[in-house]
Amino acid sequence: LAKDVKYTETGIVKPIGQGLWKAAEALPRYRLNLYDPETGGIGVHAVLKERGLDMLLSLRLKVEAGLITEVEACEIEHPTPS
């Protein structure tokens, strides 16, 4: 990670390692990785468990000079049946 890496979670700037990184209960049971060799960008779509609920995670990493400079996460919880 770059020393000044910027982390946002659902549009809110947070310290790296906070938010979903503390709340996720296990490694993804499904994950799709996307790579853009031209820009060095990396994207991940994954299904995680958080507080016992399935959650869809979309993650974007910006890589410059071999270091991650930006991490953007967007999480969507599975709707609870009514």
Side-chain angles (χ1 to χ4, degrees):
L1 292 175
K3 184 178 179 181
D4 59 348
V5 64
K6 178 183 177 186
Y7 174 59
T8 60
E9 187 174 304
T10 316
I12 300 168
V13 176
K14 295 186 177 185
I16 197 82
Q18 297 296 313
L20 73 91
W21 303 104
K22 287 192 168 190
E25 297 169 7
L27 292 174
R29 59 185 178 94
Y30 170 81
R31 184 175 78 195
L32 172 66
N33 298 326
L34 307 160
Y35 306 98
D36 184 348
E38 236 177 81
T39 65
I42 300 169
V44 178
H45 293 292
V47 177
L48 301 173
K49 280 226 181 270
E50 184 179 289
R51 298 181 316 274
L53 300 172
D54 283 339
M55 176 189 74
L56 176 62
L57 170 68
S58 293
L59 185 73
R60 180 189 63 84
L61 304 177
K62 182 176 180 182
V63 179
E64 297 179 306
L67 296 173
I68 298 171
T69 58
E70 293 180 15
V71 180
E72 180 180 11
C74 183
E75 56 182 334
I76 302 168
E77 290 184 1
H78 187 281
T80 305
S82 40

